[in-house]
Amino acid sequence: MDYRLSHLQQLEAEAIYVIRETAAQFERPVLLFSGGKDSITMAHLARKAFYPAKLPFPMMHVDTGHNFPETIEFRDKFVADMGARLIVASVQESIDKGRAMEEKGPNPSRNGLQSITLLDAIEEYKFDGCLGGARRDEEKARAKERFFSHRDEFGQWEPKNQRPELWDIYNGFLHKGENFRIFPISNWTELDVWMYLEQEKVPLPNLYFAHKRKVVNRDGVLLAESPFITLMNGEEYEEKTVRFRTIGDATCTGAVLSEAGDIPTIIEEVAATRQTERGARADDKRSESAMEDRKKAGYF
């Protein structure tokens, strides 16, 4: 009998091991959930890790208030089906309290403001470990991450202070006020995620599949029509067949031209592309170190 695992089985086993280590090493962990494919994969893995018991920790969405309505609708149904507890940390509340300041301009992004809301929620609920769906292939700053990513008492990330993880041994020791961000699917690629979602038949928001939507081309990014975007001189919306490779703040999450209406077709599309999924994120184009700067400020 052949006992060798497929590469998806190996990735699944590794992720489940990290999730169980998180539950074992931390007193108050939380699973960060945005309603995107990576956090959906994370939630599915967590459910398998503790089945038939329910999740031993809550799920938390840092809500910018600029989400696509389809994302919020899917989030609420998915979490209800999981039987999990959902905490919603609101960027709008951070703005209302004077903790954050709204950006100006035709399409102000709230992505940078999420760090403030996340850090406040971590302090309020005393979370010491935050499970996230980041992967090393997403972006160059992500490639520097450990599975257990240490954050200091100010919630900041310093790559030089990360701990070695030899022989899959993870060190979750922390001082009061510090926390960890834990990334169980670090070694997965976008293609791995899609292949796994197809294998497991996990439900997904319809934003990921080809559909007709009005978009405007702004600096090479196809931004969907939204009440949070103001058209600039010479701009106009055009209806195109698009889908989203990543889901986030509607003001900076770009669509891609696509006819892929099911996961097998998406897998073919992703396998052939030469641009990472975050290549359509306008917020990542603000500077060469945009993601790393946000991570150092507390972004997950």
Side-chain angles (χ1 to χ4, degrees), residues 4 18 56 77 92 161 174 176 202 236 246 252 268 278 286 293:
R4 289 175 297 182
V18 174
K77 183 179 186 307
Q92 184 61 56
N161 291 338
L174 47 75
K176 184 175 181 180
V202 181
E236 60 180 26
T246 178
C252 61
E268 293 178 7
R278 293 195 70 93
R286 293 187 174 190
D293 292 342

Side-chain angles (χ1 to χ4, degrees), residues 51-72:
Y51 185 83
K54 291 186 177 181
L55 296 189
F57 40 70
M59 300 167 70
M60 182 168 72
H61 181 207
V62 181
D63 184 2
T64 66
H66 285 177
N67 294 284
F68 294 99
E70 298 95 325
T71 304
I72 301 302

Side-chain angles (χ1 to χ4, degrees), residues 219-231:
D219 298 325
V221 177
L222 298 180
L223 296 175
E225 183 178 24
S226 164
F228 312 116
I229 295 176
T230 302
L231 292 179

Side-chain angles (χ1 to χ4, degrees), residues 134-147:
R135 308 185 323 269
R136 294 192 181 113
D137 76 319
E138 282 183 276
E139 203 270 345
K140 57 189 177 184
R142 297 289 200 207
K144 300 177 183 179
E145 284 286 14
R146 302 284 200 270
F147 280 97

Side-chain angles (χ1 to χ4, degrees), residues 44 64-65 116 122 127 149 152 155 181-182 228 231 286:
H44 181 76
T64 66
I116 297 169
I122 289 173
F127 293 133
S149 179
D152 65 20
R181 310 295 165 81
I182 301 105
F228 312 116
L231 292 179
R286 293 187 174 190

